[in-house]
Amino acid sequence: MNETVRVAIYARVSTEEQAEFGYSIDAQLETLRKYCELYNRVIVGEYVDRGVSGKSIEGRYELQQLLRDAQENKFDLVLVWKFNRMARKNIDLLHIVELLQKNNVAFRSFSEDFDTTTSMGKFALQMMGAVGELERNTIVDNVKMGHKQRARTGKHNGKVPLGYRSVKIDARGRESKIVIIEEEAALVRNIFEQYAAGHGLKAIANDLNHRGHKTKSGNPFSTCSIRDIIDNPMFVGKIRYNRYENWAERRRKGKTSELILVDGHHPAIITDEVWEKVQLLRKKKATMPKKRFEGEYLLTGLIRCPECGAAMTASLTVNRAKDGTKIVRMYYSCGRFRSQGSSVCHANSVRKDEAEKAVTERIQEAVTKPEILKKVVRSVNEHRSGRIKPLQDELAGVQVRIDNLEEKKRKYLGLYEMDEIDRDLFAGRLNDLNKELDTELTRRSKLQLELRDDQADPISYELVRSLVSRFDALLQRSPFPQRKTLLHLIVKRITLDDRKRVGNIELAFNEETEKHFLSVAPSAEQQAEGAFPLSGKAPLLKKTLTIFI
């Protein structure tokens, strides 16, 4: 008498398969029930995962329960309508079958009828699993290809961010367009304008949450959600796609070099000018030192240690007065000393308030005392003219070396044509000469560019006065976050003398800082509190201007 075979039925269908291919859980179950009835097998359990993808075991709770019940010997056979109902990936399928076999449970597919307890059955399972995985990967690749093509033609994929919604424009719902939700768009503009005005991610999120605003998904704003908004080029009318591959498995480690960034068909919410300004600030703030202590430290990372030249960072001391009150003193101290100890450098601390006062007063003096600024301008122009002769001499030397190398190449070519030199020796020597020549040609191009800049018209006093005076005006009129942003944008370094007093302040003005911060402020001036307030137009810079005051 044959023993009764206890059967566990497993069925699964994803939402996409149900919609696109008409797969049905009920149809799978009905087919498998009739199969068991035909072969006199007893169904002891039905495990059904509805609307779940088969790409992994995670989230498939019925499958997880089935595997636990297999360990408790509740059935002898697991039956599925098709083997890819159990798993889409071959490695997952084989792993599940192995777990079942360890517990003396057989696995059988109704559509691909083979016995996994035999060697040929296992081989057939592996082959069918590989085919199934290939089929899935082909579908995934086709979908990705379609998404990439949509992106290249300026169409958006996936969910739309805050400020937009997708509207169907045909009866079948296959075509849609992106339109602006004006109430949300106003919030997006405010976020960009606040950041352009110098406010940080946390301050913006805090402000929005206090005003009761929510993200697109209905959650409070966070620094991450603010960052995602100001980094998203969709708001300036662009489509960005393919930054990451296999996000579900690899997350940010899957970053690709094949980024798609094109003009989109959707309307922009912010202007190019505001976008460029925000991206400039994002890039600069990424290199600014992180805050270590409470307090408004303006010059962190700008002041240089007089002993080792490292950036000086915020530090403080806390003492008790005789009456028990706490006395807090703030300093800038050598960053290498703080991180590596006294064997590398010393604290070389300077009082915070004294250093900041000295810097701001030095900038104001350059504006209020024309003789100081004229001296600065004269020094800049003398430095530029003094560089010309050494550069010309170096360029002449480079040209001599280039001519010599070219002559050597001609000689070796003549010897080779006369069959007076071995071919391999000729090829090796020619390769060495070409490498040397490339180096010298690159050096010549660099020197020619430097000479062209230094031989340009002298820097005018009016240009320098305009830039420095506007910089000073902004420092005086802006609150702390904006002042710190401005200083880190324009001040390259501050050196101390041997008595630990402020020595030179190196300022570097360029086209971007002039355009975004020393010229007319964008719409943020009216929209965001604390925006860089300026009127009029500053002279346009064509290259970086560095001065010492």
PDB file of all heavy atoms in Angstrom, residues 111-138:
ATOM      1  N   SER A 111       4.230  22.711 -14.422  1.00  0.00           N
ATOM      2  CA  SER A 111       4.477  23.006 -15.832  1.00  0.00           C
ATOM      3  C   SER A 111       5.748  22.356 -16.340  1.00  0.00           C
ATOM      4  O   SER A 111       5.835  21.973 -17.510  1.00  0.00           O
ATOM      5  CB  SER A 111       4.572  24.530 -16.044  1.00  0.00           C
ATOM      6  OG  SER A 111       3.365  25.151 -15.639  1.00  0.00           O
ATOM      7  N   GLU A 112       6.788  22.260 -15.499  1.00  0.00           N
ATOM      8  CA  GLU A 112       8.044  21.631 -15.900  1.00  0.00           C
ATOM      9  C   GLU A 112       8.191  20.371 -15.048  1.00  0.00           C
ATOM     10  O   GLU A 112       8.783  20.427 -13.969  1.00  0.00           O
ATOM     11  CB  GLU A 112       9.236  22.570 -15.671  1.00  0.00           C
ATOM     12  CG  GLU A 112       9.097  23.916 -16.379  1.00  0.00           C
ATOM     13  CD  GLU A 112       8.547  25.013 -15.476  1.00  0.00           C
ATOM     14  OE1 GLU A 112       8.298  24.734 -14.281  1.00  0.00           O
ATOM     15  OE2 GLU A 112       8.347  26.126 -15.946  1.00  0.00           O
ATOM     16  N   ASP A 113       7.636  19.289 -15.537  1.00  0.00           N
ATOM     17  CA  ASP A 113       7.493  18.081 -14.708  1.00  0.00           C
ATOM     18  C   ASP A 113       8.788  17.271 -14.699  1.00  0.00           C
ATOM     19  O   ASP A 113       9.059  16.499 -15.619  1.00  0.00           O
ATOM     20  CB  ASP A 113       6.339  17.228 -15.246  1.00  0.00           C
ATOM     21  CG  ASP A 113       5.995  16.103 -14.272  1.00  0.00           C
ATOM     22  OD1 ASP A 113       6.424  16.183 -13.103  1.00  0.00           O
ATOM     23  OD2 ASP A 113       5.311  15.151 -14.694  1.00  0.00           O
ATOM     24  N   PHE A 114       9.605  17.463 -13.663  1.00  0.00           N
ATOM     25  CA  PHE A 114      10.792  16.625 -13.484  1.00  0.00           C
ATOM     26  C   PHE A 114      11.026  16.422 -11.989  1.00  0.00           C
ATOM     27  O   PHE A 114      10.583  17.217 -11.152  1.00  0.00           O
ATOM     28  CB  PHE A 114      12.037  17.229 -14.147  1.00  0.00           C
ATOM     29  CG  PHE A 114      12.226  18.702 -13.901  1.00  0.00           C
ATOM     30  CD1 PHE A 114      12.735  19.168 -12.698  1.00  0.00           C
ATOM     31  CD2 PHE A 114      11.905  19.621 -14.886  1.00  0.00           C
ATOM     32  CE1 PHE A 114      12.917  20.509 -12.485  1.00  0.00           C
ATOM     33  CE2 PHE A 114      12.080  20.975 -14.664  1.00  0.00           C
ATOM     34  CZ  PHE A 114      12.585  21.418 -13.459  1.00  0.00           C
ATOM     35  N   ASP A 115      11.706  15.358 -11.682  1.00  0.00           N
ATOM     36  CA  ASP A 115      11.905  14.923 -10.297  1.00  0.00           C
ATOM     37  C   ASP A 115      13.239  15.466  -9.783  1.00  0.00           C
ATOM     38  O   ASP A 115      14.313  15.070 -10.244  1.00  0.00           O
ATOM     39  CB  ASP A 115      11.893  13.392 -10.236  1.00  0.00           C
ATOM     40  CG  ASP A 115      11.931  12.885  -8.803  1.00  0.00           C
ATOM     41  OD1 ASP A 115      12.005  13.722  -7.874  1.00  0.00           O
ATOM     42  OD2 ASP A 115      11.907  11.652  -8.627  1.00  0.00           O
ATOM     43  N   THR A 116      13.202  16.362  -8.811  1.00  0.00           N
ATOM     44  CA  THR A 116      14.422  16.981  -8.288  1.00  0.00           C
ATOM     45  C   THR A 116      15.194  16.059  -7.353  1.00  0.00           C
ATOM     46  O   THR A 116      16.277  16.423  -6.888  1.00  0.00           O
ATOM     47  CB  THR A 116      14.075  18.278  -7.534  1.00  0.00           C
ATOM     48  OG1 THR A 116      13.195  17.980  -6.455  1.00  0.00           O
ATOM     49  CG2 THR A 116      13.432  19.278  -8.466  1.00  0.00           C
ATOM     50  N   THR A 117      14.665  14.879  -7.079  1.00  0.00           N
ATOM     51  CA  THR A 117      15.401  13.942  -6.208  1.00  0.00           C
ATOM     52  C   THR A 117      16.439  13.161  -6.993  1.00  0.00           C
ATOM     53  O   THR A 117      17.275  12.482  -6.409  1.00  0.00           O
ATOM     54  CB  THR A 117      14.429  12.970  -5.531  1.00  0.00           C
ATOM     55  OG1 THR A 117      13.746  12.205  -6.526  1.00  0.00           O
ATOM     56  CG2 THR A 117      13.421  13.728  -4.674  1.00  0.00           C
ATOM     57  N   THR A 118      16.387  13.225  -8.352  1.00  0.00           N
ATOM     58  CA  THR A 118      17.355  12.514  -9.192  1.00  0.00           C
ATOM     59  C   THR A 118      18.403  13.494  -9.720  1.00  0.00           C
ATOM     60  O   THR A 118      18.183  14.715  -9.753  1.00  0.00           O
ATOM     61  CB  THR A 118      16.655  11.843 -10.378  1.00  0.00           C
ATOM     62  OG1 THR A 118      16.147  12.855 -11.249  1.00  0.00           O
ATOM     63  CG2 THR A 118      15.522  10.950  -9.905  1.00  0.00           C
ATOM     64  N   SER A 119      19.538  12.951 -10.165  1.00  0.00           N
ATOM     65  CA  SER A 119      20.610  13.792 -10.710  1.00  0.00           C
ATOM     66  C   SER A 119      20.147  14.540 -11.947  1.00  0.00           C
ATOM     67  O   SER A 119      20.405  15.742 -12.103  1.00  0.00           O
ATOM     68  CB  SER A 119      21.831  12.934 -11.047  1.00  0.00           C
ATOM     69  OG  SER A 119      22.349  12.329  -9.878  1.00  0.00           O
ATOM     70  N   MET A 120      19.439  13.848 -12.857  1.00  0.00           N
ATOM     71  CA  MET A 120      18.946  14.508 -14.067  1.00  0.00           C
ATOM     72  C   MET A 120      17.902  15.563 -13.730  1.00  0.00           C
ATOM     73  O   MET A 120      17.831  16.606 -14.366  1.00  0.00           O
ATOM     74  CB  MET A 120      18.369  13.462 -15.028  1.00  0.00           C
ATOM     75  CG  MET A 120      19.413  12.629 -15.747  1.00  0.00           C
ATOM     76  SD  MET A 120      20.607  13.638 -16.668  1.00  0.00           S
ATOM     77  CE  MET A 120      19.522  14.401 -17.866  1.00  0.00           C
ATOM     78  N   GLY A 121      17.094  15.265 -12.713  1.00  0.00           N
ATOM     79  CA  GLY A 121      16.086  16.236 -12.293  1.00  0.00           C
ATOM     80  C   GLY A 121      16.725  17.499 -11.754  1.00  0.00           C
ATOM     81  O   GLY A 121      16.284  18.623 -12.053  1.00  0.00           O
ATOM     82  N   LYS A 122      17.788  17.345 -10.943  1.00  0.00           N
ATOM     83  CA  LYS A 122      18.491  18.511 -10.417  1.00  0.00           C
ATOM     84  C   LYS A 122      19.119  19.322 -11.552  1.00  0.00           C
ATOM     85  O   LYS A 122      19.087  20.553 -11.551  1.00  0.00           O
ATOM     86  CB  LYS A 122      19.565  18.060  -9.436  1.00  0.00           C
ATOM     87  CG  LYS A 122      19.024  17.502  -8.133  1.00  0.00           C
ATOM     88  CD  LYS A 122      20.164  17.048  -7.235  1.00  0.00           C
ATOM     89  CE  LYS A 122      19.625  16.423  -5.943  1.00  0.00           C
ATOM     90  NZ  LYS A 122      20.737  15.924  -5.088  1.00  0.00           N
ATOM     91  N   PHE A 123      19.717  18.595 -12.514  1.00  0.00           N
ATOM     92  CA  PHE A 123      20.335  19.283 -13.647  1.00  0.00           C
ATOM     93  C   PHE A 123      19.288  20.066 -14.442  1.00  0.00           C
ATOM     94  O   PHE A 123      19.516  21.220 -14.831  1.00  0.00           O
ATOM     95  CB  PHE A 123      21.026  18.259 -14.541  1.00  0.00           C
ATOM     96  CG  PHE A 123      21.624  18.850 -15.778  1.00  0.00           C
ATOM     97  CD1 PHE A 123      22.784  19.620 -15.710  1.00  0.00           C
ATOM     98  CD2 PHE A 123      21.027  18.648 -17.019  1.00  0.00           C
ATOM     99  CE1 PHE A 123      23.328  20.167 -16.858  1.00  0.00           C
ATOM    100  CE2 PHE A 123      21.569  19.195 -18.164  1.00  0.00           C
ATOM    101  CZ  PHE A 123      22.726  19.959 -18.087  1.00  0.00           C
ATOM    102  N   ALA A 124      18.144  19.412 -14.682  1.00  0.00           N
ATOM    103  CA  ALA A 124      17.068  20.093 -15.417  1.00  0.00           C
ATOM    104  C   ALA A 124      16.590  21.326 -14.662  1.00  0.00           C
ATOM    105  O   ALA A 124      16.315  22.379 -15.249  1.00  0.00           O
ATOM    106  CB  ALA A 124      15.911  19.124 -15.648  1.00  0.00           C
ATOM    107  N   LEU A 125      16.496  21.214 -13.333  1.00  0.00           N
ATOM    108  CA  LEU A 125      16.078  22.354 -12.514  1.00  0.00           C
ATOM    109  C   LEU A 125      17.060  23.508 -12.665  1.00  0.00           C
ATOM    110  O   LEU A 125      16.665  24.681 -12.811  1.00  0.00           O
ATOM    111  CB  LEU A 125      15.971  21.930 -11.048  1.00  0.00           C
ATOM    112  CG  LEU A 125      15.641  23.055 -10.054  1.00  0.00           C
ATOM    113  CD1 LEU A 125      14.228  23.563 -10.287  1.00  0.00           C
ATOM    114  CD2 LEU A 125      15.802  22.583  -8.613  1.00  0.00           C
ATOM    115  N   GLN A 126      18.352  23.194 -12.619  1.00  0.00           N
ATOM    116  CA  GLN A 126      19.366  24.235 -12.754  1.00  0.00           C
ATOM    117  C   GLN A 126      19.276  24.920 -14.115  1.00  0.00           C
ATOM    118  O   GLN A 126      19.385  26.142 -14.223  1.00  0.00           O
ATOM    119  CB  GLN A 126      20.754  23.627 -12.551  1.00  0.00           C
ATOM    120  CG  GLN A 126      21.010  23.158 -11.121  1.00  0.00           C
ATOM    121  CD  GLN A 126      22.292  22.361 -11.005  1.00  0.00           C
ATOM    122  OE1 GLN A 126      23.010  22.172 -11.982  1.00  0.00           O
ATOM    123  NE2 GLN A 126      22.581  21.878  -9.804  1.00  0.00           N
ATOM    124  N   MET A 127      19.070  24.119 -15.160  1.00  0.00           N
ATOM    125  CA  MET A 127      18.966  24.696 -16.491  1.00  0.00           C
ATOM    126  C   MET A 127      17.716  25.575 -16.624  1.00  0.00           C
ATOM    127  O   MET A 127      17.778  26.686 -17.163  1.00  0.00           O
ATOM    128  CB  MET A 127      18.913  23.585 -17.553  1.00  0.00           C
ATOM    129  CG  MET A 127      20.213  22.797 -17.690  1.00  0.00           C
ATOM    130  SD  MET A 127      21.623  23.838 -18.168  1.00  0.00           S
ATOM    131  CE  MET A 127      22.420  24.058 -16.548  1.00  0.00           C
ATOM    132  N   MET A 128      16.610  25.076 -16.110  1.00  0.00           N
ATOM    133  CA  MET A 128      15.375  25.854 -16.187  1.00  0.00           C
ATOM    134  C   MET A 128      15.475  27.115 -15.343  1.00  0.00           C
ATOM    135  O   MET A 128      14.973  28.181 -15.718  1.00  0.00           O
ATOM    136  CB  MET A 128      14.189  25.003 -15.731  1.00  0.00           C
ATOM    137  CG  MET A 128      13.865  23.833 -16.649  1.00  0.00           C
ATOM    138  SD  MET A 128      13.406  24.355 -18.321  1.00  0.00           S
ATOM    139  CE  MET A 128      11.873  25.198 -17.996  1.00  0.00           C
ATOM    140  N   GLY A 129      16.140  27.003 -14.212  1.00  0.00           N
ATOM    141  CA  GLY A 129      16.343  28.192 -13.374  1.00  0.00           C
ATOM    142  C   GLY A 129      17.187  29.233 -14.077  1.00  0.00           C
ATOM    143  O   GLY A 129      16.912  30.433 -14.007  1.00  0.00           O
ATOM    144  N   ALA A 130      18.238  28.768 -14.764  1.00  0.00           N
ATOM    145  CA  ALA A 130      19.093  29.698 -15.498  1.00  0.00           C
ATOM    146  C   ALA A 130      18.308  30.376 -16.613  1.00  0.00           C
ATOM    147  O   ALA A 130      18.456  31.583 -16.851  1.00  0.00           O
ATOM    148  CB  ALA A 130      20.299  28.957 -16.066  1.00  0.00           C
ATOM    149  N   VAL A 131      17.475  29.596 -17.321  1.00  0.00           N
ATOM    150  CA  VAL A 131      16.651  30.174 -18.378  1.00  0.00           C
ATOM    151  C   VAL A 131      15.673  31.198 -17.804  1.00  0.00           C
ATOM    152  O   VAL A 131      15.461  32.278 -18.360  1.00  0.00           O
ATOM    153  CB  VAL A 131      15.900  29.065 -19.141  1.00  0.00           C
ATOM    154  CG1 VAL A 131      14.876  29.675 -20.098  1.00  0.00           C
ATOM    155  CG2 VAL A 131      16.879  28.184 -19.899  1.00  0.00           C
ATOM    156  N   GLY A 132      15.082  30.866 -16.663  1.00  0.00           N
ATOM    157  CA  GLY A 132      14.141  31.778 -16.025  1.00  0.00           C
ATOM    158  C   GLY A 132      14.809  33.074 -15.601  1.00  0.00           C
ATOM    159  O   GLY A 132      14.246  34.171 -15.771  1.00  0.00           O
ATOM    160  N   GLU A 133      16.028  32.959 -15.054  1.00  0.00           N
ATOM    161  CA  GLU A 133      16.743  34.170 -14.648  1.00  0.00           C
ATOM    162  C   GLU A 133      17.122  35.004 -15.860  1.00  0.00           C
ATOM    163  O   GLU A 133      17.064  36.233 -15.828  1.00  0.00           O
ATOM    164  CB  GLU A 133      17.987  33.794 -13.847  1.00  0.00           C
ATOM    165  CG  GLU A 133      18.707  35.006 -13.282  1.00  0.00           C
ATOM    166  CD  GLU A 133      19.750  34.640 -12.254  1.00  0.00           C
ATOM    167  OE1 GLU A 133      19.808  33.459 -11.857  1.00  0.00           O
ATOM    168  OE2 GLU A 133      20.507  35.531 -11.835  1.00  0.00           O
ATOM    169  N   LEU A 134      17.531  34.339 -16.949  1.00  0.00           N
ATOM    170  CA  LEU A 134      17.830  35.059 -18.182  1.00  0.00           C
ATOM    171  C   LEU A 134      16.604  35.809 -18.683  1.00  0.00           C
ATOM    172  O   LEU A 134      16.693  36.974 -19.112  1.00  0.00           O
ATOM    173  CB  LEU A 134      18.323  34.084 -19.247  1.00  0.00           C
ATOM    174  CG  LEU A 134      18.564  34.682 -20.646  1.00  0.00           C
ATOM    175  CD1 LEU A 134      19.656  35.738 -20.596  1.00  0.00           C
ATOM    176  CD2 LEU A 134      18.916  33.577 -21.640  1.00  0.00           C
ATOM    177  N   GLU A 135      15.449  35.151 -18.596  1.00  0.00           N
ATOM    178  CA  GLU A 135      14.206  35.781 -19.036  1.00  0.00           C
ATOM    179  C   GLU A 135      13.913  37.026 -18.200  1.00  0.00           C
ATOM    180  O   GLU A 135      13.580  38.095 -18.724  1.00  0.00           O
ATOM    181  CB  GLU A 135      13.054  34.783 -18.904  1.00  0.00           C
ATOM    182  CG  GLU A 135      11.710  35.350 -19.319  1.00  0.00           C
ATOM    183  CD  GLU A 135      10.575  34.365 -19.025  1.00  0.00           C
ATOM    184  OE1 GLU A 135      10.541  33.840 -17.886  1.00  0.00           O
ATOM    185  OE2 GLU A 135       9.753  34.119 -19.909  1.00  0.00           O
ATOM    186  N   ARG A 136      14.069  36.881 -16.882  1.00  0.00           N
ATOM    187  CA  ARG A 136      13.818  38.032 -15.999  1.00  0.00           C
ATOM    188  C   ARG A 136      14.787  39.160 -16.280  1.00  0.00           C
ATOM    189  O   ARG A 136      14.402  40.331 -16.372  1.00  0.00           O
ATOM    190  CB  ARG A 136      13.932  37.600 -14.534  1.00  0.00           C
ATOM    191  CG  ARG A 136      13.776  38.766 -13.553  1.00  0.00           C
ATOM    192  CD  ARG A 136      13.962  38.332 -12.120  1.00  0.00           C
ATOM    193  NE  ARG A 136      13.823  39.473 -11.256  1.00  0.00           N
ATOM    194  CZ  ARG A 136      14.804  40.294 -10.922  1.00  0.00           C
ATOM    195  NH1 ARG A 136      16.016  40.091 -11.421  1.00  0.00           N
ATOM    196  NH2 ARG A 136      14.591  41.326 -10.118  1.00  0.00           N
ATOM    197  N   ASN A 137      16.087  38.825 -16.422  1.00  0.00           N
ATOM    198  CA  ASN A 137      17.095  39.858 -16.664  1.00  0.00           C
ATOM    199  C   ASN A 137      16.859  40.560 -17.990  1.00  0.00           C
ATOM    200  O   ASN A 137      17.096  41.768 -18.119  1.00  0.00           O
ATOM    201  CB  ASN A 137      18.501  39.249 -16.638  1.00  0.00           C
ATOM    202  CG  ASN A 137      18.908  38.812 -15.245  1.00  0.00           C
ATOM    203  OD1 ASN A 137      18.355  39.278 -14.249  1.00  0.00           O
ATOM    204  ND2 ASN A 137      19.872  37.904 -15.161  1.00  0.00           N
ATOM    205  N   THR A 138      16.380  39.787 -18.984  1.00  0.00           N
ATOM    206  CA  THR A 138      16.081  40.394 -20.287  1.00  0.00           C
ATOM    207  C   THR A 138      14.935  41.394 -20.161  1.00  0.00           C
ATOM    208  O   THR A 138      14.982  42.487 -20.729  1.00  0.00           O
ATOM    209  CB  THR A 138      15.712  39.302 -21.306  1.00  0.00           C
ATOM    210  OG1 THR A 138      16.800  38.380 -21.431  1.00  0.00           O
ATOM    211  CG2 THR A 138      15.410  39.919 -22.664  1.00  0.00           C
TER     212      THR A 138
END
